[in-house]
Amino acid sequence: DELKTILSQWQTSGTSAIHVSNKKYDALALSAAILKNQLVNHYQPKVLLATGRMVGVETLVRWQHPEDGMVYPDQFIEVAESEGLIDDLTHWVLHEALQQTREWHLMGLPIKVAVNLSMNNLATPAFADLVSQAVASAGLKPSDIVLEITESQLKADMRVPLEILTRLRLKRFRLSIDDFGTGYSSLVQLRDIPFEELKIDKSFVHGSHANATLEAIFDGNMRMARQLEMDVVAEGVEDRDDWNFLRGRQCDLAQGYFIARPMPGHQIPDWEKSWNL
Ligand code: C2E
Ligand code: CA
Ligand code: CA
Ligand code: CA
């Protein structure tokens, strides 16, 4: 009973927090922000655990609010999704990320770029063509692009999203399943979707070396990924203990504050030069 009370209090506080931010950042403010170029992408390195080499970055959008300063995506992505602005937002983020990635490639840094998609983006079959046109006109290849889809957003009726994901896969985009372990996708769904990368959620990464339960969950996820022949990224690598734990687990890639915080795109080349283990 005590647990129930705590849980319901926690849920209530969670809901009201979301409510407050929804009120604060409404559709009008957000659509104006997109038009006025108040969004900015930051990029967080993804590195090989075996060598420490950066192979790609993840694009994380922020809103440079004229009064409130830097606003993080947890405060406006839901608004974008519920108010029909997520296609505009995704296109803004994608175009910006493609321009930036083209620049890195021209500088001799041939890294891949990951962009977060919302399940709402996967509602119109034209989406696959829009994305591939954008990539081609930026002078990049689909195989340079990783599309991250959050596991908790996988739906019961996946027919249309599945068709779009399959089209993207046929065009040679890389598909990544994000926040793995936090949703309820069944193995059947995963087998049907041609994902090549699985990102183990940070709640099963940081501190797993010192927690038998987290370790067991981590190992279970890892085994599943291996059976499905997916590359594994661990997110939320916050300290050297996390890093060493992952190296012992033959995980492929790591991402987290221990390696680098998300940063403006122009800082990536200097970070790459100075980073060592
Ligand atoms: P995500 O895709 O799971 O991204 C990882 C989040 O964890 C990012 O938060 C990142 O800054 C944070 N993070 C990175 N390393 C560490 C670490 O070592 N420890 C901890 N505790 N956190 C770490 P951020 O940037 O606030 O983004 C939050 C979420 O917003 C993202 O979660 C993603 O779901 C969503 N998001 C971000 N950009 C976009 C976008 O362009 N489109 C869509 N649809 N969603 C986005
Ligand atoms: Ca992500
Ligand atoms: Ca994630
Ligand atoms: Ca997340």
Side-chain angles (χ1 to χ4, degrees):
D1 274 354
E2 202 184 328
L3 189 67
K4 267 189 199 155
T5 316
I6 294 169
L7 250 169
S8 75
Q9 274 167 358
W10 178 72
Q11 280 167 342
T12 322
S13 67
T15 325
S16 63
I18 287 166
H19 199 70
V20 168
S21 63
N22 274 354
K23 257 194 184 156
K24 184 154 190 190
Y25 302 114
D26 61 8
L28 197 63
L30 183 56
S31 61
I34 299 171
L35 289 173
K36 288 195 252 170
N37 256 326
Q38 287 174 359
L39 299 184
V40 60
N41 284 341
H42 281 188
Y43 300 90
Q44 188 179 35
K46 283 168 141 174
V47 305
L48 282 173
L49 271 150
T51 60
R53 189 165 63 88
M54 173 172 60
V55 292
V57 292
E58 176 178 4
T59 309
L60 295 157
V61 69
R62 279 93 181 79
W63 178 358
Q64 280 178 320
H65 196 280
E67 279 113 46
D68 299 351
M70 193 77 98
V71 179
Y72 287 83
D74 288 335
Q75 298 206 52
F76 61 86
I77 293 294
E78 278 179 46
V79 179
E81 287 175 340
S82 63
E83 302 292 327
L85 293 170
I86 194 67
D87 279 345
D88 289 349
L89 184 140
T90 302
H91 285 126
W92 188 93
V93 169
L94 179 69
H95 278 277
E96 188 64 27
L98 294 173
Q99 295 312 314
Q100 178 60 76
T101 305
R102 176 78 179 147
E103 265 177 52
W104 289 324
H105 285 201
L106 292 173
M107 293 169 78
L109 207 58
I111 53 177
K112 296 187 194 302
V113 68
V115 172
N116 289 288
L117 297 185
S118 163
M119 194 54 83
N120 297 19
N121 293 136
L122 304 178
T124 38
F127 183 76
D129 291 328
L130 281 177
V131 174
S132 46
Q133 277 157 17
V135 169
S137 62
L140 297 169
K141 302 187 301 291
S143 55
D144 295 325
I145 318 299
V146 180
L147 302 171
E148 297 192 6
I149 296 121
T150 301
E151 189 210 14
S152 61
Q153 291 192 341
L154 298 186
K155 295 180 189 162
D157 188 357
M158 284 287 292
R159 274 172 301 184
V160 173
L162 188 60
E163 188 200 318
I164 298 168
L165 289 173
T166 306
R167 281 193 200 200
L168 288 164
R169 184 64 206 122
L170 288 172
K171 292 176 191 285
R172 302 279 180 272
F173 284 93
R174 292 179 62 84
L175 304 180
S176 171
I177 184 158
D178 201 358
D179 292 355
F180 191 76
T182 61
Y184 10 72
S185 52
S186 65
L187 261 178
V188 179
Q189 263 188 337
L190 281 185
R191 199 196 47 208
D192 287 350
I193 304 172
F195 287 111
E196 309 173 277
E197 180 183 281
L198 183 150
K199 297 186 80 170
I200 300 186
D201 189 67
K202 47 184 174 286
S203 55
F204 309 120
V205 174
H206 175 56
S208 280
H209 60 91
N211 180 315
T213 308
L214 293 181
E215 184 177 351
I217 295 170
F218 182 92
D219 287 344
N221 287 342
M222 193 77 203
R223 253 195 315 279
M224 180 185 302
R226 285 288 173 251
Q227 255 159 31
L228 296 166
E229 296 178 321
M230 293 196 260
D231 292 336
V232 183
V233 184
E235 56 173 41
V237 181
E238 293 192 358
D239 54 37
R240 188 169 287 281
D241 288 336
D242 293 340
W243 174 269
N244 289 338
F245 169 83
L246 295 166
R247 288 198 63 160
R249 288 300 194 277
Q250 271 96 46
C251 184
D252 303 296
L253 296 170
Q255 188 182 344
Y257 297 160
F258 174 64
I259 301 146
R261 295 203 168 239
M263 64 187 97
H266 67 86
Q267 291 179 7
I268 288 285
D270 283 341
W271 177 85
E272 197 262 345
K273 281 186 213 114
S274 63
W275 149 253
N276 51 54
L277 287 167

